Amino acid sequence: MVKICCIGAGYVGGPTMAVIALKCPSIQVVVVDISVSRITAWNSEQLPIYEPGLEDIVKQCRGKNLFFSTDVEKNVAEADIIFVSVNTPTKTQGLGAGRAADLTYWESAARMIADVSTSNKIVVEKSTVPVKTAEAIEKILSFNSKGINYQILSNPEFLAEGTAIQDLFNPDRVLIGGKETPDGQKAIQTLKDVYAHWVPEDRIITTNLWSAELSKLAANAFLAQRISSVNAMSALCEATGADVSQVSHAVGKDTRIGSKFLNASVGFGGSCFQKDILNLVYICECNGLPEVANYWKQVIKVNDYQKKRFVNRVVSSMFNTVSGKKIAILGFAFKKDTGDTRETPAIDVCKELLRDRARLSIYDPQVTMDQIQRDLSMDKFDWDHPVHLQPVSPGSVKKVSIVWDTYEAARDAHAICILTEWDEFKTLDYQRIFDNMQKPAFVFDGRNIVNVKKLREIGFIVYSIGKPLDPWIKDMPAVA
Ligand code: UDX
Ligand code: UDX
Ligand code: ADP
């Protein structure tokens, strides 16, 4: 029986290993983590992450060929294939702070593998890491090898949160990078055999190590760039009377461009896009390519601009002041169908509104109260991001209430801001909401999910990103 051990039981490691266990009954999969609470949760009824379809799979496989354990060393020692799926946040201090990836967790995992291994191993990079990390890891392992043969593979994961299980079941491609030596090719084949249990062979791409590592950064940068491109267009649409949805539709019909990932929004969030672009920018700078670095930096700057522009619309529409006014925030997660708030645009929007002394009432169907409080009170380090410059005072965080129902959030509010595209926000009883709000009642739709015409008929003043402006809002131009 092939034994797989995955170090890191997070958003990537957990779902990926669950699907491997489900699709490969002949393989034993153990997911290990240093976090006792995470492992306890994976072994309980309440999994540590929310992902549609995940719970069923875990229930089917757990205890059979899928295990979650804190005994990292024992399980690593016994494994044939070790996936490393630890976190690689952006460095917060020292050289490359704010841009370079922090590889502390990766390095400690590699040293631990070298310490405990007594048999040959295939070590698979699963977390997104800077190009040439494989080489560094190989050095750590081979300098401490005790005669053991380590083969390093890069197998970046392309799943998106909220659709992780679907993406794993039916991936556009599986990418495996390895050395061009016979041992390297043999290791690639071993990993290919795992995926071949359910992924058609023509979707399994093999490359050299550096191409695999760079492809992951490039894919995320291209995706984020599409969103910044359409968001930049949304500002121009508002200025000219064009409708960004119509523009996206028309542009996306060109098969060379394609229709996906062209939804204008309050900005992209998530743990990957910004981190990977910053990492790409850093690599370009280190390689003496400032023009390339500046090109990609702009994708993040437009994203920050979009969040700032949204807040400016809110404040300027409401007579240039939100001080003391109750604003309902619908949605806090960085996208629908996840409870994840990493880099969610909601954090920046809420912090800006709090700085303008608004009172916020926040509702999200999946994000916990603790998480929201933590996100809003934590003073994040950030790299020349104008949005984050001023900290939020502890006093203003007290102006936040977190509720478990939209209607409660909107009661007596002056405005509603929709910041996550949860399906339930499309079918709310907006008449009932309107009746219980202060007048004039505003809706600021940061995800373009409401029926603008219907809401205007009810009496709302509606702002929807990149759509022709309400006359009221047009008369109060935002300074962005
Ligand atoms: C373009 C648009 O494709 C067309 O829809 C529009 O109506 C007019 O402008 P055109 O300029 O005739 O058409 O040619 P196109 O095939 O788009 O190529 C433009 C340039 O991009 C060429 O110099 C081409 O060599 C270059 N190119 C194209 C690349 O360098 N790489 C590519 O992958 C594609
Ligand atoms: C992304 C990549 O899609 C995935 O391939 C990679 O493995 C990890 O990073 P994820 O961050 O989970 O996945 O979600 P994604 O669906 O890409 O959305 C990222 C952000 O972009 C979200 O905030 C989303 O709301 C926003 N978005 C997405 C838009 O604003 N408009 C769009 O058209 C699409
Ligand atoms: P991702 O979104 O990439 O999956 P997460 O932050 O969700 O990232 O998960 C990474 C996990 O890796 C965390 O649960 C963390 O506790 C774990 N981890 C980090 N370093 C180690 C290590 N050396 N050994 C085991 N687990 C680790």
Side-chain angles (χ1 to χ4, degrees), residues 372-416:
I372 294 175
Q373 294 285 9
R374 250 197 319 274
D375 286 336
L376 291 181
S377 46
M378 226 164 42
D379 207 11
K380 274 195 320 177
F381 172 91
D382 260 296
W383 157 85
D384 72 356
H385 283 210
V387 173
H388 298 296
L389 283 180
Q390 301 157 288
V392 171
S393 67
S396 40
V397 177
K398 288 198 195 114
K399 294 201 186 108
V400 175
S401 63
I402 294 148
V403 296
W404 293 107
D405 168 45
T406 295
Y407 300 99
E408 188 52 40
R411 185 186 313 280
D412 292 324
H414 290 258
I416 291 172

Short mmCIF file of all heavy atoms in Angstrom, two decimals, residues 372-416:
data_model
loop_
_atom_site.label_atom_id
_atom_site.label_comp_id
_atom_site.label_asym_id
_atom_site.label_seq_id
_atom_site.Cartn_x
_atom_site.Cartn_y
_atom_site.Cartn_z
N ILE A 372 -14.54 38.01 12.73
CA ILE A 372 -14.78 39.39 12.27
C ILE A 372 -14.12 40.37 13.24
O ILE A 372 -13.43 41.31 12.83
CB ILE A 372 -16.30 39.66 12.13
CG1 ILE A 372 -16.88 38.80 11.01
CG2 ILE A 372 -16.55 41.14 11.85
CD1 ILE A 372 -18.39 38.88 10.83
N GLN A 373 -14.31 40.12 14.55
CA GLN A 373 -13.70 41.02 15.55
C GLN A 373 -12.19 41.04 15.39
O GLN A 373 -11.55 42.09 15.46
CB GLN A 373 -14.05 40.55 16.99
CG GLN A 373 -15.52 40.65 17.33
CD GLN A 373 -15.98 42.09 17.60
OE1 GLN A 373 -15.23 43.02 17.37
NE2 GLN A 373 -17.21 42.25 18.07
N ARG A 374 -11.61 39.85 15.20
CA ARG A 374 -10.15 39.77 15.05
C ARG A 374 -9.69 40.53 13.81
O ARG A 374 -8.75 41.31 13.85
CB ARG A 374 -9.74 38.29 14.89
CG ARG A 374 -9.00 37.72 16.08
CD ARG A 374 -8.25 36.45 15.79
NE ARG A 374 -8.90 35.48 14.96
CZ ARG A 374 -9.75 34.54 15.38
NH1 ARG A 374 -10.05 34.46 16.66
NH2 ARG A 374 -10.27 33.67 14.54
N ASP A 375 -10.39 40.30 12.70
CA ASP A 375 -9.99 40.94 11.44
C ASP A 375 -10.05 42.46 11.54
O ASP A 375 -9.22 43.15 10.97
CB ASP A 375 -10.91 40.48 10.29
CG ASP A 375 -10.60 39.05 9.85
OD1 ASP A 375 -9.46 38.60 10.07
OD2 ASP A 375 -11.49 38.40 9.29
N LEU A 376 -11.06 42.96 12.26
CA LEU A 376 -11.22 44.41 12.30
C LEU A 376 -10.32 45.07 13.33
O LEU A 376 -10.00 46.25 13.23
CB LEU A 376 -12.68 44.79 12.56
CG LEU A 376 -13.63 44.46 11.41
CD1 LEU A 376 -15.04 44.88 11.74
CD2 LEU A 376 -13.18 45.13 10.11
N SER A 377 -9.88 44.31 14.33
CA SER A 377 -9.04 44.96 15.34
C SER A 377 -7.56 44.75 15.06
O SER A 377 -6.72 45.49 15.56
CB SER A 377 -9.41 44.49 16.75
OG SER A 377 -9.54 43.11 16.75
N MET A 378 -7.24 43.75 14.22
CA MET A 378 -5.83 43.48 13.98
C MET A 378 -5.26 44.55 13.06
O MET A 378 -5.87 44.91 12.07
CB MET A 378 -5.67 42.12 13.32
CG MET A 378 -4.58 41.33 13.99
SD MET A 378 -4.62 39.61 13.59
CE MET A 378 -4.96 39.54 11.88
N ASP A 379 -4.06 45.02 13.43
CA ASP A 379 -3.41 46.01 12.61
C ASP A 379 -2.45 45.29 11.68
O ASP A 379 -1.38 44.88 12.07
CB ASP A 379 -2.66 46.98 13.52
CG ASP A 379 -2.54 48.31 12.88
OD1 ASP A 379 -3.21 48.52 11.85
OD2 ASP A 379 -1.78 49.14 13.39
N LYS A 380 -2.88 45.13 10.45
CA LYS A 380 -2.06 44.33 9.52
C LYS A 380 -0.88 45.13 9.01
O LYS A 380 -0.97 46.32 8.81
CB LYS A 380 -2.92 43.95 8.31
CG LYS A 380 -3.72 42.73 8.50
CD LYS A 380 -4.22 42.24 7.16
CE LYS A 380 -4.67 43.36 6.25
NZ LYS A 380 -5.09 42.91 4.94
N PHE A 381 0.20 44.41 8.74
CA PHE A 381 1.31 45.03 8.04
C PHE A 381 0.98 45.02 6.56
O PHE A 381 0.47 44.06 6.04
CB PHE A 381 2.58 44.22 8.26
CG PHE A 381 3.72 44.68 7.40
CD1 PHE A 381 4.59 45.64 7.89
CD2 PHE A 381 3.90 44.20 6.12
CE1 PHE A 381 5.62 46.09 7.09
CE2 PHE A 381 4.92 44.65 5.33
CZ PHE A 381 5.79 45.60 5.81
N ASP A 382 1.24 46.12 5.87
CA ASP A 382 1.04 46.06 4.42
C ASP A 382 2.03 46.93 3.67
O ASP A 382 2.52 47.92 4.18
CB ASP A 382 -0.39 46.44 4.06
CG ASP A 382 -1.21 45.20 3.81
OD1 ASP A 382 -0.90 44.49 2.87
OD2 ASP A 382 -2.15 44.95 4.59
N TRP A 383 2.23 46.56 2.44
CA TRP A 383 3.22 47.19 1.57
C TRP A 383 2.57 48.31 0.79
O TRP A 383 1.59 48.07 0.13
CB TRP A 383 3.75 46.08 0.66
CG TRP A 383 4.34 46.49 -0.63
CD1 TRP A 383 5.61 46.89 -0.86
CD2 TRP A 383 3.67 46.50 -1.89
NE1 TRP A 383 5.78 47.15 -2.16
CE2 TRP A 383 4.62 46.93 -2.84
CE3 TRP A 383 2.39 46.21 -2.33
CZ2 TRP A 383 4.32 47.06 -4.17
CZ3 TRP A 383 2.09 46.34 -3.67
CH2 TRP A 383 3.05 46.76 -4.57
N ASP A 384 3.07 49.47 0.86
CA ASP A 384 2.50 50.73 0.33
C ASP A 384 1.03 50.64 -0.12
O ASP A 384 0.67 51.00 -1.22
CB ASP A 384 3.43 51.37 -0.72
CG ASP A 384 3.48 50.64 -2.08
OD1 ASP A 384 2.86 49.59 -2.20
OD2 ASP A 384 4.11 51.16 -3.00
N HIS A 385 0.20 50.18 0.80
CA HIS A 385 -1.23 50.13 0.51
C HIS A 385 -1.90 51.32 1.17
O HIS A 385 -2.04 51.34 2.37
CB HIS A 385 -1.87 48.87 1.10
CG HIS A 385 -1.58 47.67 0.29
ND1 HIS A 385 -2.42 46.62 0.20
CD2 HIS A 385 -0.53 47.38 -0.48
CE1 HIS A 385 -1.89 45.72 -0.58
NE2 HIS A 385 -0.73 46.16 -1.00
N PRO A 386 -2.33 52.30 0.38
CA PRO A 386 -2.92 53.48 1.00
C PRO A 386 -4.09 53.13 1.91
O PRO A 386 -4.27 53.73 2.95
CB PRO A 386 -3.40 54.31 -0.20
CG PRO A 386 -3.22 53.46 -1.41
CD PRO A 386 -2.31 52.34 -1.08
N VAL A 387 -4.84 52.11 1.53
CA VAL A 387 -6.05 51.75 2.28
C VAL A 387 -5.75 51.40 3.73
O VAL A 387 -6.54 51.67 4.62
CB VAL A 387 -6.74 50.55 1.59
CG1 VAL A 387 -7.90 50.04 2.42
CG2 VAL A 387 -7.24 50.93 0.20
N HIS A 388 -4.56 50.83 3.96
CA HIS A 388 -4.29 50.32 5.30
C HIS A 388 -3.52 51.28 6.20
O HIS A 388 -3.19 50.92 7.31
CB HIS A 388 -3.45 49.04 5.21
CG HIS A 388 -4.12 47.93 4.49
ND1 HIS A 388 -5.26 47.35 4.95
CD2 HIS A 388 -3.81 47.31 3.34
CE1 HIS A 388 -5.62 46.40 4.10
NE2 HIS A 388 -4.76 46.36 3.12
N LEU A 389 -3.22 52.48 5.68
CA LEU A 389 -2.23 53.27 6.40
C LEU A 389 -2.61 53.62 7.84
O LEU A 389 -1.81 53.47 8.74
CB LEU A 389 -1.87 54.53 5.61
CG LEU A 389 -0.92 54.23 4.44
CD1 LEU A 389 -0.58 55.51 3.69
CD2 LEU A 389 0.37 53.56 4.93
N GLN A 390 -3.85 54.07 8.04
CA GLN A 390 -4.19 54.47 9.41
C GLN A 390 -4.80 53.30 10.16
O GLN A 390 -5.71 52.65 9.66
CB GLN A 390 -5.24 55.58 9.39
CG GLN A 390 -4.82 56.80 8.63
CD GLN A 390 -6.04 57.57 8.17
OE1 GLN A 390 -6.76 57.17 7.26
NE2 GLN A 390 -6.28 58.68 8.83
N PRO A 391 -4.32 53.06 11.39
CA PRO A 391 -4.94 51.98 12.17
C PRO A 391 -6.35 52.37 12.63
O PRO A 391 -6.67 53.55 12.73
CB PRO A 391 -4.01 51.82 13.37
CG PRO A 391 -3.24 53.09 13.45
CD PRO A 391 -3.22 53.71 12.10
N VAL A 392 -7.15 51.38 12.89
CA VAL A 392 -8.48 51.64 13.43
C VAL A 392 -8.36 51.66 14.94
O VAL A 392 -7.76 50.77 15.53
CB VAL A 392 -9.45 50.51 12.99
CG1 VAL A 392 -10.77 50.63 13.70
CG2 VAL A 392 -9.66 50.56 11.49
N SER A 393 -8.92 52.67 15.58
CA SER A 393 -8.77 52.75 17.04
C SER A 393 -9.65 51.70 17.71
O SER A 393 -10.69 51.32 17.17
CB SER A 393 -9.17 54.14 17.51
OG SER A 393 -10.55 54.29 17.29
N PRO A 394 -9.21 51.22 18.91
CA PRO A 394 -10.00 50.19 19.60
C PRO A 394 -11.43 50.67 19.83
O PRO A 394 -12.38 49.89 19.78
CB PRO A 394 -9.27 50.00 20.93
CG PRO A 394 -7.90 50.58 20.72
CD PRO A 394 -8.00 51.60 19.64
N GLY A 395 -11.61 51.97 20.05
CA GLY A 395 -12.95 52.53 20.28
C GLY A 395 -13.87 52.29 19.11
O GLY A 395 -15.04 51.94 19.29
N SER A 396 -13.35 52.42 17.89
CA SER A 396 -14.26 52.29 16.75
C SER A 396 -14.67 50.85 16.51
O SER A 396 -15.75 50.59 15.99
CB SER A 396 -13.69 52.92 15.47
OG SER A 396 -12.35 52.68 15.33
N VAL A 397 -13.83 49.89 16.92
CA VAL A 397 -14.24 48.49 16.76
C VAL A 397 -15.48 48.20 17.62
O VAL A 397 -16.31 47.36 17.30
CB VAL A 397 -13.07 47.53 17.07
CG1 VAL A 397 -13.52 46.08 16.97
CG2 VAL A 397 -11.93 47.77 16.11
N LYS A 398 -15.60 48.98 18.70
CA LYS A 398 -16.79 48.82 19.56
C LYS A 398 -18.06 49.24 18.83
O LYS A 398 -19.16 48.93 19.25
CB LYS A 398 -16.62 49.64 20.83
CG LYS A 398 -15.61 49.04 21.78
CD LYS A 398 -15.77 49.60 23.19
CE LYS A 398 -14.55 49.29 24.03
NZ LYS A 398 -13.80 50.47 24.41
N LYS A 399 -17.90 50.00 17.74
CA LYS A 399 -19.09 50.44 16.99
C LYS A 399 -19.57 49.37 16.02
O LYS A 399 -20.35 49.63 15.13
CB LYS A 399 -18.76 51.71 16.21
CG LYS A 399 -18.46 52.90 17.11
CD LYS A 399 -18.66 54.19 16.36
CE LYS A 399 -18.23 55.39 17.16
NZ LYS A 399 -16.99 55.98 16.63
N VAL A 400 -19.07 48.14 16.21
CA VAL A 400 -19.45 47.06 15.31
C VAL A 400 -20.35 46.08 16.05
O VAL A 400 -20.02 45.65 17.16
CB VAL A 400 -18.19 46.29 14.85
CG1 VAL A 400 -18.58 45.09 14.02
CG2 VAL A 400 -17.27 47.20 14.06
N SER A 401 -21.49 45.75 15.46
CA SER A 401 -22.25 44.65 16.04
C SER A 401 -22.34 43.57 14.97
O SER A 401 -22.38 43.86 13.77
CB SER A 401 -23.63 45.10 16.50
OG SER A 401 -24.36 45.54 15.40
N ILE A 402 -22.31 42.31 15.42
CA ILE A 402 -22.35 41.21 14.47
C ILE A 402 -23.64 40.45 14.73
O ILE A 402 -23.91 40.04 15.86
CB ILE A 402 -21.10 40.34 14.63
CG1 ILE A 402 -19.88 41.19 14.20
CG2 ILE A 402 -21.18 39.08 13.75
CD1 ILE A 402 -18.64 40.90 14.92
N VAL A 403 -24.45 40.32 13.69
CA VAL A 403 -25.78 39.74 13.87
C VAL A 403 -25.93 38.53 12.96
O VAL A 403 -25.11 38.29 12.09
CB VAL A 403 -26.89 40.78 13.58
CG1 VAL A 403 -26.82 41.93 14.56
CG2 VAL A 403 -26.79 41.29 12.15
N TRP A 404 -26.99 37.75 13.19
CA TRP A 404 -27.13 36.48 12.47
C TRP A 404 -28.28 36.47 11.48
O TRP A 404 -28.83 35.46 11.14
CB TRP A 404 -27.21 35.31 13.46
CG TRP A 404 -25.91 35.21 14.14
CD1 TRP A 404 -25.62 35.56 15.42
CD2 TRP A 404 -24.65 34.84 13.53
NE1 TRP A 404 -24.27 35.42 15.65
CE2 TRP A 404 -23.65 34.98 14.52
CE3 TRP A 404 -24.27 34.43 12.24
CZ2 TRP A 404 -22.30 34.72 14.26
CZ3 TRP A 404 -22.93 34.16 11.99
CH2 TRP A 404 -21.97 34.30 12.99
N ASP A 405 -28.63 37.68 10.99
CA ASP A 405 -29.77 37.76 10.09
C ASP A 405 -29.69 39.09 9.35
O ASP A 405 -29.38 40.12 9.94
CB ASP A 405 -31.02 37.64 10.98
CG ASP A 405 -32.29 38.00 10.27
OD1 ASP A 405 -32.46 37.55 9.12
OD2 ASP A 405 -33.09 38.75 10.85
N THR A 406 -29.97 39.07 8.05
CA THR A 406 -29.92 40.29 7.24
C THR A 406 -30.91 41.33 7.75
O THR A 406 -30.60 42.52 7.83
CB THR A 406 -30.28 39.96 5.78
OG1 THR A 406 -29.28 39.12 5.25
CG2 THR A 406 -30.34 41.22 4.94
N TYR A 407 -32.13 40.89 8.07
CA TYR A 407 -33.17 41.85 8.43
C TYR A 407 -32.81 42.59 9.71
O TYR A 407 -33.08 43.78 9.87
CB TYR A 407 -34.53 41.13 8.56
CG TYR A 407 -34.91 40.48 7.24
CD1 TYR A 407 -34.69 39.11 7.03
CD2 TYR A 407 -35.42 41.24 6.19
CE1 TYR A 407 -35.00 38.52 5.81
CE2 TYR A 407 -35.72 40.65 4.96
CZ TYR A 407 -35.51 39.30 4.78
OH TYR A 407 -35.79 38.72 3.56
N GLU A 408 -32.15 41.86 10.61
CA GLU A 408 -31.69 42.47 11.85
C GLU A 408 -30.57 43.49 11.54
O GLU A 408 -30.55 44.60 12.09
CB GLU A 408 -31.16 41.35 12.78
CG GLU A 408 -30.81 41.77 14.18
CD GLU A 408 -31.94 42.53 14.87
OE1 GLU A 408 -33.12 42.14 14.70
OE2 GLU A 408 -31.63 43.54 15.55
N ALA A 409 -29.68 43.10 10.65
CA ALA A 409 -28.57 44.00 10.30
C ALA A 409 -29.10 45.30 9.71
O ALA A 409 -28.57 46.37 9.96
CB ALA A 409 -27.64 43.31 9.31
N ALA A 410 -30.15 45.18 8.90
CA ALA A 410 -30.63 46.35 8.15
C ALA A 410 -31.64 47.21 8.93
O ALA A 410 -31.93 48.33 8.51
CB ALA A 410 -31.26 45.89 6.84
N ARG A 411 -32.13 46.69 10.05
CA ARG A 411 -33.15 47.44 10.80
C ARG A 411 -32.62 48.82 11.25
O ARG A 411 -31.57 48.91 11.86
CB ARG A 411 -33.59 46.63 12.02
CG ARG A 411 -34.73 47.25 12.80
CD ARG A 411 -35.03 46.47 14.10
NE ARG A 411 -35.10 45.03 13.89
CZ ARG A 411 -36.17 44.40 13.41
NH1 ARG A 411 -37.25 45.08 13.11
NH2 ARG A 411 -36.14 43.09 13.23
N ASP A 412 -33.33 49.85 10.88
CA ASP A 412 -32.96 51.24 11.23
C ASP A 412 -31.65 51.70 10.60
O ASP A 412 -31.10 52.73 11.00
CB ASP A 412 -32.86 51.42 12.76
CG ASP A 412 -34.22 51.30 13.42
OD1 ASP A 412 -35.20 51.76 12.81
OD2 ASP A 412 -34.29 50.74 14.53
N ALA A 413 -31.15 50.96 9.65
CA ALA A 413 -29.89 51.37 9.01
C ALA A 413 -30.16 52.45 7.97
O ALA A 413 -31.27 52.55 7.43
CB ALA A 413 -29.22 50.17 8.37
N HIS A 414 -29.14 53.25 7.70
CA HIS A 414 -29.25 54.24 6.63
C HIS A 414 -28.87 53.61 5.29
O HIS A 414 -29.32 54.06 4.25
CB HIS A 414 -28.29 55.41 6.90
CG HIS A 414 -28.70 56.25 8.06
ND1 HIS A 414 -29.32 57.46 7.92
CD2 HIS A 414 -28.59 56.04 9.40
CE1 HIS A 414 -29.57 57.98 9.11
NE2 HIS A 414 -29.13 57.13 10.02
N ALA A 415 -28.00 52.60 5.36
CA ALA A 415 -27.52 52.02 4.10
C ALA A 415 -27.17 50.55 4.28
O ALA A 415 -26.90 50.09 5.40
CB ALA A 415 -26.28 52.78 3.63
N ILE A 416 -27.18 49.85 3.13
CA ILE A 416 -26.73 48.45 3.10
C ILE A 416 -25.55 48.38 2.14
O ILE A 416 -25.63 48.94 1.04
CB ILE A 416 -27.85 47.55 2.52
CG1 ILE A 416 -29.02 47.47 3.48
CG2 ILE A 416 -27.32 46.16 2.19
CD1 ILE A 416 -30.20 46.75 2.83
#
